Amino acid sequence: MQSNRRMQKAGILLLAALTALCPSIESDAWYSPGPSPTRNTTKQAASMAQPSSQQDLAREKEARESSASFQLSRKRKHHKKRRRVQAMSWVSLQKRYPGTFIIGGPRSARKVALTFDDVPDPRYTPQVLDILARYKVRATFFVVGSRAAAYPSIVRRMRREGHIIGNHSLNHAVFSRIPLGSFKRQIVRTDAILRPLVGYSPKLVRPPYGEIMPSQIEWLKQNGYIVVNWDVDSVDWRGTDSSHILVNIKKTLQPGSIILQHAGGGVGQDLSGTVKALPKLIKLLRSKGYQIVTLPDLLSKPASRNSKG
């Protein structure tokens, strides 16, 4: 009996020592995709070992706390490093990639571009298209590939009525959180869906949430794409009412502005404010002497990746 207790005690101390010396097992498993057999085995072994005395319990607790402290420090450094990579401002990206990363057009002429994200959506996109047709305005729509595959007739209508189509990812992925290979697939698969619907490979790319990494911009540049974000945010995605949408737009409106709005939303998202605000916005812009143009007209860039310019 005494021999068994000694062996049990030795096993506990050995496990605690290994946990303190090798915290990376648990920490690395946290970031790896899918379940980690190593992580599960370690937890199972720890649950099977029972301390035989208060002294052993104290030692085990100390070892766990030491390991947890190391892991927490490691995770904080990891996230801090990621934040440093992602912290590059749009202004810095525009300076680093002139002509490839864009947030606004020339300020010399009173021209602005209306852009609509997250389309097509059968609840809101047709209403927006009806208003644009009524006021004879052409806009730029950033299309989600999976939605285009589900509602191809709406995409064809956009093209037929003279609007410009851009690439807005396959399924609204956050580009800054996915590896380069996954990012490429988001763009390429969406391009393959859009080409037969609109008759060209869209040159314009807008990353969901405006988030993108320098390595991703480099790839886009090499493959004939340009990134177009915005300098005026309507904040309509919050379900904002029409009056507040107009206030938000007027805050930063200037010649060359690229105005962000949404003509598609998620489940339960209310974009009725966008629809109600649009006629008022068009009238407001025209009353201030602005010409409403598409992004290719504003930026002097072609809509197609296969065109020169």
Side-chain angles (χ1 to χ4, degrees):
M1 181 73 70
Q2 189 174 1
S3 175
N4 288 340
R5 284 201 191 98
R6 284 201 205 95
M7 290 177 65
Q8 189 179 30
K9 180 177 179 181
I12 293 166
L13 293 174
L14 178 60
L15 178 62
L18 286 171
T19 304
L21 290 171
C22 306
S24 61
I25 292 175
E26 178 79 5
S27 182
D28 288 344
W30 181 260
Y31 294 104
S32 63
S36 169
T38 305
R39 185 181 182 192
N40 294 338
T41 304
T42 304
K43 284 189 171 182
Q44 187 178 24
S47 65
M48 289 172 64
Q50 300 295 327
S52 60
S53 69
Q54 292 286 34
Q55 188 178 14
D56 294 337
L57 188 64
R59 286 174 181 166
E60 186 182 20
K61 182 180 179 183
E62 183 180 356
R64 280 201 313 267
E65 288 175 349
S66 174
S67 173
S69 176
F70 183 89
Q71 291 170 33
L72 182 60
S73 173
R74 200 160 180 255
K75 288 175 185 176
R76 281 174 177 167
K77 287 178 182 177
H78 173 85
H79 289 303
K80 191 173 181 180
K81 184 177 179 181
R82 280 181 61 85
R83 282 198 300 270
R84 280 200 299 269
V85 173
Q86 294 176 13
M88 198 167 186
S89 71
W90 287 2
V91 173
S92 298
L93 287 172
Q94 193 174 37
K95 289 178 180 177
R96 184 169 175 178
Y97 302 103
T100 301
F101 183 91
I102 297 168
I103 58 177
R107 306 300 183 188
S108 55
R110 293 186 74 78
K111 293 182 179 181
V112 294
L114 299 183
T115 66
F116 296 90
D117 285 10
D118 300 349
V119 297
D121 183 333
R123 298 169 299 168
Y124 299 110
T125 310
Q127 295 184 66
V128 168
L129 288 170
D130 288 345
I131 295 168
L132 295 175
R134 189 186 317 147
Y135 288 90
K136 296 180 172 54
V137 171
R138 294 170 64 220
T140 304
F141 289 86
F142 285 96
V143 178
V144 176
S146 59
R147 288 188 163 188
Y151 307 106
S153 62
I154 302 178
V155 179
R156 291 192 190 98
R157 179 185 170 185
M158 293 175 195
R159 172 60 173 160
R160 188 170 61 249
E161 295 182 2
H163 303 293
I164 302 300
I165 307 301
N167 189 319
H168 196 45
S169 82
L170 182 65
N171 55 11
H172 215 263
V174 183
F175 288 168
S176 62
R177 297 181 185 175
I178 60 176
L180 186 60
S182 298
F183 163 78
K184 292 177 184 178
R185 286 190 289 275
Q186 288 278 331
I187 300 300
V188 171
R189 290 179 182 178
T190 301
D191 187 82
I193 293 168
L194 293 178
R195 271 199 315 271
L197 295 178
V198 302
Y200 59 88
S201 171
K203 187 179 186 69
L204 311 178
V205 172
R206 174 168 287 168
Y209 313 103
E211 291 192 20
I212 193 165
M213 305 298 287
S215 59
Q216 296 166 346
I217 299 175
E218 293 279 3
W219 183 85
L220 290 171
K221 181 180 179 180
Q222 292 166 8
N223 288 274
Y225 297 96
I226 62 173
V227 181
V228 184
N229 277 349
W230 60 88
D231 64 339
V232 174
D233 188 353
S234 67
V235 200
D236 60 345
W237 55 270
R238 288 183 176 172
T240 313
D241 62 57
S242 60
S243 60
H244 283 93
I245 286 174
L246 293 173
V247 169
N248 292 336
I249 289 173
K250 286 189 285 186
K251 283 178 183 176
T252 54
L253 181 67
Q254 60 180 313
S257 278
I258 298 172
I259 301 171
L260 169 66
Q261 298 171 94
H262 293 78
V267 176
Q269 191 171 10
D270 182 9
L271 295 174
S272 59
T274 303
V275 176
K276 292 177 183 176
L278 187 53
K280 300 174 185 176
L281 175 60
I282 293 170
K283 293 175 184 175
L284 172 69
L285 293 172
R286 287 175 170 169
S287 72
K288 291 182 175 293
Y290 286 107
Q291 181 184 358
I292 304 171
V293 299
T294 64
L295 281 177
D297 290 334
L298 181 69
L299 304 175
S300 299
K301 300 279 188 181
S304 170
R305 194 161 58 100
N306 301 322
S307 302
K308 293 181 180 180

